[in-house]
């Protein structure tokens, strides 16, 4: 049966970059059916619900979800974003957030002398850690207010994300934590890291504190293969890695649960209200996110061809203005499309 992809362009620049990406994918993944859904701030403001049950059922039946961005300055409450992205990650238990950061061309690096070519993945645990939503405020607003956020880690949750890290690593897994300041979670992560590493003798196992990992990333990002860490540290380190690889307009991501067959793909950037509606957003993050989607659906050669076309376009200076070029969103996507057709 043809794979079905549910497409949610969402808000802001999501509506500009996702259709461009899907147009490229349509020529690449023969038979993939793309079905678009309006899950966005307009709907939320109109009806009070962003993701109605009838659309949710369609997403449940899809082989993959391609999401643009959820966020709109007209919507003040965090509940809107949580009711879409947070909700989908939770109900589908998409615990592995894969954020590749590959430097496609040296000119994109903010570093003066990038030592080695950067090609790494930040693997962020998506369902636990500091963002698990556990905590409380006591006596809010008073001068005796207490605010508590729990750092929640489970044996099963830590084990499965570490297993995932070793499964995708080519040569090394670097586990990042802050065990000296957070010894309880540190003890669990380290014990599971030792146990899982033993099962994968062909892959080097290394550990860094999160502060040291940030410093190492800036000094020599080329040293890393897979960095695996809890939710909050992964959020921060993946932004840092993304910037080192050319910025947020380039960064793709996928959310996976290999036990279920579901996956959700989204560019790392948000709705970017400051540039939305002007046709200047960089479509590369969304296009490369589409490449991850192709790979997930088994179209490996097509995914490689798409990445090669992106690299060729970037190297030829066919860039949007965030990368120092002057192309519009549509022009940058068209340039990649042309290179795709002529093979690089
Ligand atoms: P949200 O609340 O939806 O996360 P945001 O503006 O806080 O939106 P981002 O959308 O990630 O966060 O944008 C951060 C900055 O990066 C903005 O200045 C934005 O214009 C810029 N940016 C993000 N994505 C792109 C892109 N694809 N092309 C060019 N600039 C981008």
């Amino acid at each position: 049966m043809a794979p079905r992809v549910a497409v949610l362009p969402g808000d802001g620049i999501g509506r500009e970059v996702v259709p461009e990406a899907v147009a490229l994918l349509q020529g690449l993944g023969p038979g993939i059916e793309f079905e678009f859904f309006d899950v966005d701030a307009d709907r939320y403001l109109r009806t009070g619900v962003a993701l109605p049950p009838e659309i949710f059922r369609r997403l449940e039946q899809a082989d993959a979800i391609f999401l643009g961005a959820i966020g709109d300055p007209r919507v003040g409450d965090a509940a809107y974003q949580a009711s879409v992205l947070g909700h989908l990650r939770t109900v589908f238990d998409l615990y592995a957030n894969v954020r590749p950061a590959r430097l496609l061309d040296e000119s994109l690096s903010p570093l003066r002398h990038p030592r080695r070519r950067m090609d790494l993945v930040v693997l962020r645990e998506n369902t636990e850690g500091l963002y698990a939503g556990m905590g409380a405020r006591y006596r809010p607003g008073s001068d005796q207010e207490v605010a508590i956020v729990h750092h929640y880690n489970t044996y099963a949750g830590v084990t499965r994300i570490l297993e995932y890290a070793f499964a995708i690593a080519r040569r090394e897994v670097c586990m990042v934590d802050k065990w000296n300041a957070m010894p309880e979670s540190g003890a669990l992560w380290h014990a599971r890291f030792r146990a899982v590493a033993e099962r994968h003798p062909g892959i080097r196992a290394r550990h860094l504190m999160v502060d040291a990992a940030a410093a190492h990333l800036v000094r020599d990002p080329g040293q890393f293969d897979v960095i695996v860490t809890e939710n909050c540290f992964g959020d921060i380190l993946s932004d840092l890695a993304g910037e080192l690889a050319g910025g947020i307009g380039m960064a793709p991501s996928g959310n996976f649960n290999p036990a279920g067959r579901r996956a959700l793909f989204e560019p790392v950037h948000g709705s970017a209200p400051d540039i939305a509606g002007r046709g200047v957003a960089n479509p590369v993050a969304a296009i490369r996110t589409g490449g991850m989607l192709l790979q997930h659906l088994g179209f490996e050669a097509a995914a490689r061809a798409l990445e090669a076309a992106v690299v060729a376009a970037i190297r030829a200076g066919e860039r949007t203005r965030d990368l120092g070029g002057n192309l519009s969103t549509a022009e940058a996507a068209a340039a990649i499309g042309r290179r795709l057709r002529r093979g690089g």
Side-chain angles (χ1 to χ4, degrees):
M1 245 189 14
R4 284 193 39 246
V5 176
V7 184
L8 283 56
D11 298 311
I13 63 168
R15 293 167 188 245
E16 299 167 46
V17 295
V18 168
E20 295 292 350
V22 171
L24 289 180
L25 298 184
Q26 255 153 353
L28 279 173
I32 302 179
E33 282 174 28
F34 294 93
E35 195 178 358
F36 281 72
F37 296 97
D38 292 330
V39 172
D40 51 32
D42 288 343
R43 179 191 289 277
Y44 185 70
L45 290 169
R46 207 174 55 242
T47 66
V49 178
L51 188 55
E54 62 277 13
I55 296 185
F56 179 73
R57 277 195 293 277
R58 305 288 292 162
L59 302 189
E60 271 186 312
Q61 290 154 8
D63 295 292
I65 300 169
F66 190 178
L67 176 75
I70 297 292
D72 187 301
R74 294 172 297 165
V75 184
D77 59 301
Y80 165 51
Q81 276 166 313
S83 72
V84 183
L85 187 54
H87 181 64
L88 292 174
R89 279 180 180 156
T90 309
V91 291
F92 295 150
D93 196 22
L94 301 171
Y95 65 85
N97 187 197
V98 174
R99 296 185 160 197
R102 174 171 173 241
L103 184 65
L104 302 187
D105 187 69
E106 242 174 57
S107 66
L108 298 177
S109 173
L111 302 177
R112 227 173 323 158
H113 304 295
R115 280 208 255 164
R116 277 180 275 182
R117 186 50 64 84
M118 168 184 191
D119 185 6
L120 62 86
V121 167
V122 177
L123 178 61
R124 165 183 170 189
E125 205 294 323
N126 235 356
T127 59
E128 303 191 342
L130 271 170
Y131 295 172
M134 293 178 146
R137 278 177 83 190
Y138 300 99
R139 301 183 286 276
S142 81
D143 60 4
Q144 280 152 35
E145 177 165 347
V146 177
I148 299 173
V149 175
H150 292 291
H151 190 214
Y152 169 82
N153 300 268
T154 66
Y155 181 101
V158 173
T159 305
R160 67 182 182 174
I161 195 71
L162 291 173
E163 285 287 4
Y164 197 95
F166 281 92
I168 63 170
R170 288 161 298 180
R171 54 184 166 83
E172 182 197 87
V173 172
C174 180
M175 192 271 277
V176 168
D177 71 355
K178 188 72 183 173
W179 68 263
N180 54 353
M182 300 155 102
E184 296 79 10
S185 56
L188 175 59
W189 275 82
H190 276 264
R192 298 316 302 143
F193 190 48
R194 278 193 299 275
V196 175
E198 262 173 35
R199 292 201 279 271
H200 300 272
I203 301 289
R204 186 171 165 232
R206 177 161 68 126
H207 165 258
L208 282 174
M209 298 287 197
V210 64
D211 41 359
H216 275 264
L217 265 171
V218 174
R219 195 176 310 133
D220 178 18
Q223 70 185 277
F224 291 104
D225 178 11
V226 173
I227 295 174
V228 59
T229 188
E230 68 88 47
N231 212 333
C232 172
F233 295 157
D235 187 12
I236 298 165
L237 290 183
S238 61
D239 262 34
L240 174 55
E243 274 309 313
L244 291 170
I248 198 159
M250 304 285 294
S253 88
N255 301 272
F256 301 92
N257 181 338
R261 63 183 176 92
R262 290 201 187 84
L264 183 153
F265 299 85
E266 40 153 359
V268 169
H269 64 70
S271 60
D274 55 332
I275 57 166
R278 289 163 40 198
V280 297
N282 188 347
V284 168
I287 290 169
R288 297 179 77 208
T289 298
M292 292 180 75
L293 190 153
L294 284 177
Q295 203 174 2
H296 175 70
L297 295 177
F299 298 100
E300 304 271 346
R304 277 196 301 277
L306 185 61
E307 181 81 347
V310 168
V311 173
I314 293 290
R315 291 194 180 150
E318 295 163 349
R319 305 176 180 189
T320 44
R321 62 180 200 179
D322 55 310
L323 302 182
N326 57 12
L327 298 189
S328 68
T329 305
E331 288 165 345
I336 293 167
R338 271 194 301 278
R339 288 181 180 276
L340 201 49
R341 285 188 292 278
R342 67 173 124 106

